[in-house]
Amino acid sequence: MRIALVLLALVGLSTGLVAQAMGAAWATWAWTASTGVVLAVLLRQIVTSLMRGDIGLDVVAALSMGGALALGQSLAAAVVALMYAGGQTLEAFAAGRARREMSALLARQPRTALRREPEGLRDVPISELLPGDCLLIRSGDVVPVDGVVETGRAILDQAMLTGEALPVTFEVGASVVSGTINAGDAFTLKADRRASESTYAGIVRLVETAQSEKAPMARMADRYGLGFLLLTLMMAGGAWAWTGDAVRALAVVVIATPCPLILAVPVALVSGMSRTAGIGVLVKGGAALEMLAKVEVLVIDKTGTLTHGMATLSAVQPLVGHNEAAILSIAASLDQVSVHPTARALVTAARGRSVALRQPVDVVEEPGEGISGAVDGRRVLVGGPRFMGRYGIVFPDRTTGQTASGVPSVGATVLVAVDGIAAGILGFSDPLRREGGDALAALRETGIRRIVLATGDRKDVAEAMVAGLPIDAVAADLDPSEKTGLVRAEHDHGLVMMVGDGVNDAPALAAADLGVALGARGAAAAAEAADVVLLVDRIDGLARAMRIARRARAIALQCVFAGLGLSILGMVAAAFGYLTPLQGALIQEGIDVAVVLNAMRVLGGKD
């Protein structure tokens, strides 16, 4: 439709110019006819916008074309029609370019998969895939669901999710995520979740949300656009009243058509969102991108962010009346229903030691606190000291670097109680990520002034783990409500960004000015509450995303002030009679093209 309008306006203008050169009287008719069609389409768009409650600067374009035709300035009207149609096409092209990374994420969503069945391979819709299905992933295929490598070696291109160019190799038994591309030989994948629950499906939903949201700066453009419309009408009316020359008033209106405010801002912001998506950081809309450019305080959860979030059982200390195997069995049996990283580590360790697990009943989990339930008719509690304290269960003193029974408290300590009595102490380790310190230093350089570590671990353990890192404060022994309170308190120091990855982080993420969740495969509640989702479980891309966001916002503001300033100068010149309507149309189109091209600079450059 846009291309057709541009061609029509171009043909009408060219035909009229040829007729004028030949001295033919029908030049005016050619210009009027082509302008009339463009004006009719524009009026329809204006009516549709008004029905939605939007008053845009398209009204100025309609006044320009209609006024030019009414005043016999048919050539100027034809030029305005061509410039308007061309501007709309340029904006659509620029927006399409800006969305290229996000659109690529959507376009690569697989529709079918090769499933192994008794009678052989069968191509089935991915909506029919179930956990446990074995799939053949051929070379070049997009992995359709999250799963585990069953046979063969998976060499996966994760560039679309991580921005990293080099493929990664996964051996048998390794977990892989959907949305990656098989860059090696075919392998067999055993699905461990439905396609609708997989990483890539979550990414697609997040992209769709991001594309539908409107940024505060874009809403600001709408508000200022209305003000600019009133300013245009006042200047045009003033010029007419002062000189009695309607053509001079028309020139003022023409040079205000269309406005760089509504062209450049969306292009710059969407370009920034596209750039961040290309490095594996999905920003859920222009509002989040703007906030990413302005945050000053970072509150970061330890587990899964600065650490790998893959706790390993390092020690088991049974207390009086229990043995190591019994403690492992009863605690891991209860933790089977939990998604907490420590619970998963405990279950994995128990199975690795061939400990028999039973089915728990009456299970109640309190995120970030602990879990309770019945195993073989016995009431079992697994959790931290605060959780045990609520039930009046006393454990050996743990104020030193190790438990009273000799269990080292490296990383985290989990307590186990049976039938209301302290039964055992479990020690877990979760080493810091190698890239964690560098990532925090990079965030400092990007503009983060204060970094606070938030953790449910003991303060001495947390401080020992992050010693030497650029962290200003450590807040330890926090439950989910206390994390939320910490985030709110940090607002006194500036705009707050909270980074977390678990269900218990969701309230804190929602309370922050900007919530960042690690990994689309992580807890759904965290990803839903967050404004930004890192598509892989690493924070080293966050500083780069902040630089992109800051550059996008700066270029958007640059476009607004430069474009509006030039437009207003042109309107003043037109009001004083220095520009004709035709000259005004040509100058304004030059301004519009310049600001849109400037906005597209966000897609390039270094970040």
Short mmCIF file of all heavy atoms in Angstrom, two decimals, residues 292-319:
data_model
loop_
_atom_site.label_atom_id
_atom_site.label_comp_id
_atom_site.label_asym_id
_atom_site.label_seq_id
_atom_site.Cartn_x
_atom_site.Cartn_y
_atom_site.Cartn_z
N LEU A 292 16.87 1.20 31.13
CA LEU A 292 18.18 0.56 31.09
C LEU A 292 19.27 1.60 30.85
O LEU A 292 20.41 1.45 31.30
CB LEU A 292 18.21 -0.51 29.99
CG LEU A 292 19.47 -1.37 29.86
CD1 LEU A 292 19.74 -2.15 31.14
CD2 LEU A 292 19.34 -2.31 28.67
N ALA A 293 18.93 2.66 30.14
CA ALA A 293 19.91 3.72 29.86
C ALA A 293 20.11 4.64 31.05
O ALA A 293 21.09 5.40 31.09
CB ALA A 293 19.45 4.53 28.66
N LYS A 294 19.21 4.59 32.06
CA LYS A 294 19.25 5.58 33.14
C LYS A 294 19.57 5.01 34.52
O LYS A 294 19.83 5.79 35.44
CB LYS A 294 17.91 6.32 33.20
CG LYS A 294 17.59 7.11 31.94
CD LYS A 294 16.38 7.99 32.10
CE LYS A 294 15.09 7.22 32.21
NZ LYS A 294 13.90 8.10 32.29
N VAL A 295 19.54 3.69 34.71
CA VAL A 295 19.73 3.13 36.05
C VAL A 295 21.12 3.45 36.61
O VAL A 295 22.09 3.56 35.87
CB VAL A 295 19.50 1.60 36.06
CG1 VAL A 295 18.03 1.28 35.87
CG2 VAL A 295 20.36 0.91 35.00
N GLU A 296 21.17 3.59 37.95
CA GLU A 296 22.42 3.96 38.62
C GLU A 296 22.80 2.98 39.72
O GLU A 296 23.97 2.93 40.12
CB GLU A 296 22.28 5.35 39.25
CG GLU A 296 21.89 6.44 38.27
CD GLU A 296 21.48 7.71 38.99
OE1 GLU A 296 20.42 7.70 39.65
OE2 GLU A 296 22.24 8.69 38.92
N VAL A 297 21.83 2.23 40.24
CA VAL A 297 22.06 1.31 41.36
C VAL A 297 21.75 -0.11 40.91
O VAL A 297 20.73 -0.35 40.26
CB VAL A 297 21.18 1.68 42.57
CG1 VAL A 297 21.42 0.70 43.72
CG2 VAL A 297 21.44 3.11 43.01
N LEU A 298 22.64 -1.04 41.25
CA LEU A 298 22.43 -2.45 40.93
C LEU A 298 22.29 -3.25 42.21
O LEU A 298 23.17 -3.22 43.07
CB LEU A 298 23.62 -2.98 40.11
CG LEU A 298 23.67 -4.50 39.90
CD1 LEU A 298 22.48 -4.98 39.08
CD2 LEU A 298 24.98 -4.92 39.24
N VAL A 299 21.15 -3.94 42.34
CA VAL A 299 20.97 -4.93 43.41
C VAL A 299 21.00 -6.29 42.72
O VAL A 299 20.18 -6.55 41.83
CB VAL A 299 19.63 -4.74 44.14
CG1 VAL A 299 19.43 -5.84 45.19
CG2 VAL A 299 19.58 -3.36 44.80
N ILE A 300 21.94 -7.13 43.10
CA ILE A 300 22.13 -8.39 42.38
C ILE A 300 22.05 -9.57 43.33
O ILE A 300 22.68 -9.59 44.39
CB ILE A 300 23.48 -8.37 41.61
CG1 ILE A 300 23.64 -9.63 40.76
CG2 ILE A 300 24.65 -8.16 42.55
CD1 ILE A 300 24.77 -9.54 39.76
N ASP A 301 21.24 -10.55 42.95
CA ASP A 301 21.16 -11.80 43.72
C ASP A 301 22.42 -12.61 43.44
O ASP A 301 22.98 -12.56 42.35
CB ASP A 301 19.92 -12.57 43.29
CG ASP A 301 19.75 -13.86 44.05
OD1 ASP A 301 19.71 -13.80 45.29
OD2 ASP A 301 19.68 -14.92 43.41
N LYS A 302 22.86 -13.38 44.44
CA LYS A 302 24.10 -14.14 44.26
C LYS A 302 23.92 -15.42 43.48
O LYS A 302 24.61 -15.68 42.49
CB LYS A 302 24.71 -14.47 45.63
CG LYS A 302 25.99 -15.30 45.56
CD LYS A 302 26.56 -15.57 46.93
CE LYS A 302 25.68 -16.51 47.73
NZ LYS A 302 25.63 -17.89 47.17
N THR A 303 22.95 -16.23 43.88
CA THR A 303 22.79 -17.56 43.29
C THR A 303 22.34 -17.47 41.84
O THR A 303 21.31 -16.88 41.53
CB THR A 303 21.78 -18.39 44.10
OG1 THR A 303 22.20 -18.44 45.46
CG2 THR A 303 21.67 -19.80 43.55
N GLY A 304 23.12 -18.06 40.96
CA GLY A 304 22.77 -18.10 39.55
C GLY A 304 23.16 -16.87 38.77
O GLY A 304 23.04 -16.83 37.55
N THR A 305 23.65 -15.84 39.46
CA THR A 305 24.07 -14.62 38.79
C THR A 305 25.58 -14.47 38.92
O THR A 305 26.33 -14.59 37.96
CB THR A 305 23.33 -13.41 39.38
OG1 THR A 305 23.49 -13.43 40.80
CG2 THR A 305 21.87 -13.44 39.03
N LEU A 306 26.04 -14.23 40.16
CA LEU A 306 27.49 -14.21 40.40
C LEU A 306 28.04 -15.62 40.52
O LEU A 306 29.22 -15.86 40.27
CB LEU A 306 27.80 -13.42 41.67
CG LEU A 306 27.55 -11.92 41.58
CD1 LEU A 306 27.90 -11.25 42.90
CD2 LEU A 306 28.33 -11.29 40.45
N THR A 307 27.18 -16.56 40.91
CA THR A 307 27.59 -17.97 40.94
C THR A 307 26.89 -18.69 39.79
O THR A 307 26.06 -18.12 39.10
CB THR A 307 27.21 -18.63 42.28
OG1 THR A 307 25.78 -18.68 42.39
CG2 THR A 307 27.79 -17.86 43.45
N HIS A 308 27.19 -19.96 39.63
CA HIS A 308 26.60 -20.72 38.53
C HIS A 308 25.17 -21.14 38.80
O HIS A 308 24.46 -21.55 37.88
CB HIS A 308 27.45 -21.97 38.24
CG HIS A 308 28.79 -21.67 37.67
ND1 HIS A 308 29.02 -21.49 36.33
CD2 HIS A 308 29.99 -21.47 38.28
CE1 HIS A 308 30.29 -21.20 36.12
NE2 HIS A 308 30.91 -21.19 37.28
N GLY A 309 24.74 -21.03 40.04
CA GLY A 309 23.40 -21.48 40.37
C GLY A 309 23.27 -22.99 40.31
O GLY A 309 22.17 -23.53 40.22
N MET A 310 24.40 -23.68 40.32
CA MET A 310 24.43 -25.15 40.26
C MET A 310 25.15 -25.66 41.50
O MET A 310 26.31 -26.07 41.45
CB MET A 310 25.12 -25.61 38.98
CG MET A 310 24.42 -25.14 37.71
SD MET A 310 25.35 -25.52 36.21
CE MET A 310 25.36 -27.32 36.29
N ALA A 311 24.46 -25.57 42.63
CA ALA A 311 25.06 -25.98 43.89
C ALA A 311 25.44 -27.45 43.86
O ALA A 311 24.76 -28.27 43.23
CB ALA A 311 24.09 -25.71 45.03
N THR A 312 26.52 -27.77 44.55
CA THR A 312 26.99 -29.16 44.66
C THR A 312 27.04 -29.55 46.13
O THR A 312 27.56 -28.80 46.95
CB THR A 312 28.39 -29.31 44.05
OG1 THR A 312 28.36 -28.90 42.69
CG2 THR A 312 28.85 -30.75 44.12
N LEU A 313 26.48 -30.71 46.44
CA LEU A 313 26.52 -31.19 47.82
C LEU A 313 27.97 -31.49 48.19
O LEU A 313 28.64 -32.31 47.57
CB LEU A 313 25.66 -32.45 47.96
CG LEU A 313 25.56 -33.04 49.37
CD1 LEU A 313 24.81 -32.10 50.30
CD2 LEU A 313 24.89 -34.40 49.32
N SER A 314 28.45 -30.80 49.22
CA SER A 314 29.86 -30.95 49.61
C SER A 314 30.04 -31.70 50.91
O SER A 314 31.13 -32.22 51.18
CB SER A 314 30.52 -29.58 49.71
OG SER A 314 29.81 -28.75 50.61
N ALA A 315 29.00 -31.75 51.76
CA ALA A 315 29.15 -32.44 53.04
C ALA A 315 27.78 -32.78 53.61
O ALA A 315 26.81 -32.04 53.39
CB ALA A 315 29.92 -31.57 54.03
N VAL A 316 27.72 -33.90 54.33
CA VAL A 316 26.50 -34.32 55.02
C VAL A 316 26.87 -34.63 56.46
O VAL A 316 27.76 -35.44 56.71
CB VAL A 316 25.86 -35.56 54.36
CG1 VAL A 316 24.60 -35.98 55.11
CG2 VAL A 316 25.56 -35.30 52.89
N GLN A 317 26.21 -33.97 57.40
CA GLN A 317 26.49 -34.22 58.82
C GLN A 317 25.20 -34.66 59.52
O GLN A 317 24.34 -33.85 59.82
CB GLN A 317 27.03 -32.96 59.49
CG GLN A 317 27.28 -33.15 60.98
CD GLN A 317 28.32 -34.24 61.24
OE1 GLN A 317 29.39 -34.23 60.65
NE2 GLN A 317 28.00 -35.16 62.13
N PRO A 318 25.03 -35.97 59.72
CA PRO A 318 23.84 -36.40 60.48
C PRO A 318 23.99 -36.04 61.94
O PRO A 318 25.09 -36.04 62.50
CB PRO A 318 23.85 -37.91 60.26
CG PRO A 318 25.27 -38.26 60.01
CD PRO A 318 25.88 -37.07 59.32
N LEU A 319 22.90 -35.71 62.60
CA LEU A 319 22.90 -35.44 64.03
C LEU A 319 22.44 -36.68 64.78
O LEU A 319 22.17 -37.73 64.17
CB LEU A 319 22.01 -34.23 64.32
CG LEU A 319 22.46 -32.92 63.62
CD1 LEU A 319 21.52 -31.79 63.96
CD2 LEU A 319 23.90 -32.57 63.98
#
